[in-house]
Amino acid sequence: MWQLVVTSPDKEPKLVELKPGKWSIGRASTNDILIEDVSASRNHAEIFLDALTNVLTLTDLDSTNGTYVNRQRLTGSCQLHPDDLIRIGMVVIHVVHQTGNIQRLSNISGTHRFTRELVLESVEEHSLLIAEVAQKLNTVLDVRTAIQEVTQMLKRAMAIDFCEIILKQELGVLETSDLTDPLAKQALRNKTAEVSPVSMFVPILVQDQVIGLIAMRKSRPGTLPFDRRDLQLAVAISHQTALTIQRMDLLEKVRQEEHVRRLLLRFVSPAEAEYMLKSYLTTGHLPPLTEQKVTVLFADIADSTRLAEMLGARQFANILNNFYQAASEIVFRHGGMIKYLGDGILGIFTERTGEPSSEEKAVQAGRELLQSLNRTGSLDHRTRLVFGVSINTGKAMVGYVGTKERVEFNALGDVVNVAYRMQEYARPFKIIAGPATVAAISNKYQFSRVGGVSLRGREGAIQVYEVMP
């Protein structure tokens, strides 16, 4: 018995049992085999089954876009053989010749190694359908929608009742759902396609790693068992699904990186944001606390408590916001990182190859900060604001502290505490520096010795200097 299995991308396969005589093929509704494809002519081709010889012949009726048999364009007529493939546009017609027991001849039950050759053969055999699948999946931007598209395509293309794609993180469902078939576990364990007459399990592989499983089952009475073409189609779809998931993962990674980059840029300089991101992508976490040389800069608004009470919460909040914005831009411009401290900021400058020293960067930032937040109180024309800048250099524990949900850059140590206490000598509108800072850049700036000062919480005096305008 000769049969034709007519497959198109958006419809279930249609089985045509041929009887002796002529069978017309084309786009016109009067044809025996209707081809609903824009590439098909109204009267495209003709198949003739000889009752005496049982020979099947295909003739192209001078169609515009041609009839292809096994990827070769047909000129005139040719004899058809079992497993030949006829293509008209996007419609593929599989020639089947059954003699005897259909179940026995069609059955490909067993284990099929997921070799490169099997993948290439499968993609080539179903190239038109795979092209259609790829076109649809390339417009999908999330994995769940992609999986729904693939399962619907498989159901239509293979005329199956059940199809499910289970991703790696969901494979535990095999223990509790109806997918307890030993073949499913065997497919995952051996990375092989496992087929029975009514079920098929095909792994989704990326670089020999299982990232999912396609499970299919037929349950309708009288349905044909899975055959070689079904296996090839499932393998080809599995390959395309793997490529799609890889693309989704890459897009998600890019989206996450961009999201993290935008978030970091709110708190650190662009150079530091790239450094943090690179470290995170390499190690999986942000740089931890390590001891290193730093120069820290403190700047705050004098008498902020009285100002807040006098001006009211809204006006004082606007002043603080303007202060934070101006200070952040300046610190970032000079390669530092910033930490907000209520009515002030802490700028942290580290040593970087190819950049000025941390002391010079801090002094440059401090000078620019005082010029921006000048003696007229330019942040708020109605209120005269008083600022000061203190700078100190030394060893500190520097890095990122916090939890998985929240981290922040910080510098911890005596050098930070000293700089904070030096603030009271920096007002109004002075830059006060510690001895280590002055020693590092004494040949570049003019300094005036303030003398030994006592700082709260410390025994003994600290020599401090004013950086001259």
Side-chain angles (χ1 to χ4, degrees), residues 16-72:
V16 179
E17 293 188 2
L18 297 179
K19 296 180 181 179
K22 290 183 179 181
W23 291 76
S24 60
I25 304 173
R27 188 158 46 87
S29 59
T30 54
N31 285 285
D32 300 309
I33 301 174
L34 180 62
I35 305 295
E36 297 180 284
D37 190 286
V38 293
S39 296
S41 299
R42 292 181 58 80
N43 298 294
H44 196 99
E46 183 180 86
I47 288 180
F48 178 74
L49 176 57
D50 192 305
L52 297 177
T53 63
N54 201 35
V55 171
L56 198 62
T57 305
L58 172 65
T59 302
D60 181 78
L61 301 178
D62 295 325
S63 61
T64 302
N65 296 305
T67 303
Y68 292 80
V69 179
N70 301 326
R71 302 182 187 86
Q72 299 295 320

Side-chain angles (χ1 to χ4, degrees), residues 245-261:
I245 292 176
Q246 279 185 296
R247 178 175 65 85
M248 301 287 186
D249 289 343
L250 180 60
L251 286 174
E252 182 59 28
K253 182 179 179 182
V254 170
R255 281 196 293 263
Q256 288 180 354
E257 287 181 15
E258 186 57 31
H259 174 71
V260 172
R261 183 179 285 107

Side-chain angles (χ1 to χ4, degrees), residues 215-462:
M216 293 158 283
R217 181 173 288 116
K218 294 185 176 184
S219 59
R220 281 179 281 186
T223 188
L224 291 174
F226 286 111
D227 60 19
R228 180 73 181 177
R229 281 182 54 77
D230 291 331
L231 172 63
Q232 290 173 335
L233 178 58
V235 169
I237 293 289
S238 167
H239 177 68
Q240 187 62 46
T241 303
L243 294 177
T244 299
I245 292 176
Q246 279 185 296
R247 178 175 65 85
M248 301 287 186
D249 289 343
L250 180 60
L251 286 174
E252 182 59 28
K253 182 179 179 182
V254 170
R255 281 196 293 263
Q256 288 180 354
E257 287 181 15
E258 186 57 31
H259 174 71
V260 172
R261 183 179 285 107
R262 288 198 304 268
L263 184 63
L264 291 176
L265 286 173
R266 296 173 57 189
F267 304 102
V268 300
S269 66
E272 181 63 19
E274 292 302 321
Y275 168 72
M276 292 170 60
L277 188 60
K278 181 179 179 181
S279 175
Y280 180 80
L281 295 175
T282 302
T283 64
H285 53 78
L286 293 171
L289 287 171
T290 57
E291 186 180 53
Q292 55 183 290
K293 173 194 168 186
V294 297
T295 299
V296 296
L297 176 155
F298 272 102
D300 66 0
I301 301 173
D303 203 13
S304 58
T305 302
R306 183 188 63 81
L307 277 175
E309 182 180 1
M310 180 181 69
L311 299 175
R314 176 171 296 184
Q315 187 177 347
F316 186 70
N318 288 335
I319 291 175
L320 269 184
N321 184 62
N322 292 335
F323 172 56
Y324 287 157
Q325 183 172 343
S328 298
E329 290 175 357
I330 293 169
V331 170
F332 290 168
R333 186 158 53 247
H334 292 283
M337 289 149 284
I338 200 163
K339 182 177 174 66
Y340 303 127
L341 301 171
D343 62 353
I345 59 101
L346 167 64
I348 305 168
F349 300 86
T350 58
E351 299 292 328
R352 293 289 174 82
T353 303
E355 295 182 2
S357 67
S358 62
E359 296 90 349
E360 187 172 356
K361 290 187 289 187
V363 170
Q364 289 175 347
R367 280 185 156 183
E368 195 172 328
L369 193 59
L370 286 187
Q371 290 172 1
S372 174
L373 315 176
N374 59 47
R375 300 185 183 194
T376 63
S378 60
L379 284 178
D380 190 289
H381 67 277
R382 295 163 296 181
T383 307
R384 185 176 185 276
L385 305 177
V386 176
F387 302 91
V389 173
S390 61
I391 300 173
N392 197 28
T393 301
K395 295 284 188 178
M397 295 299 293
V398 180
Y400 295 87
V401 295
T403 65
K404 290 183 178 180
E405 292 74 25
R406 172 179 166 78
V407 294
E408 65 177 13
F409 188 86
N410 212 338
L412 307 173
D414 188 57
V415 62
V416 182
N417 297 331
V418 169
Y420 179 73
R421 297 302 182 191
M422 287 164 54
Q423 266 285 288
E424 58 185 290
Y425 297 96
R427 306 184 190 104
F429 308 106
K430 297 177 183 178
I431 299 177
I432 297 296
T437 305
V438 172
I441 53 175
S442 59
N443 61 333
K444 295 184 178 182
Y445 297 91
Q446 294 292 323
F447 297 92
S448 173
R449 184 174 179 272
V450 176
V453 299
S454 298
L455 303 179
R456 284 179 294 166
R458 290 184 62 86
E459 295 183 2
I462 298 290

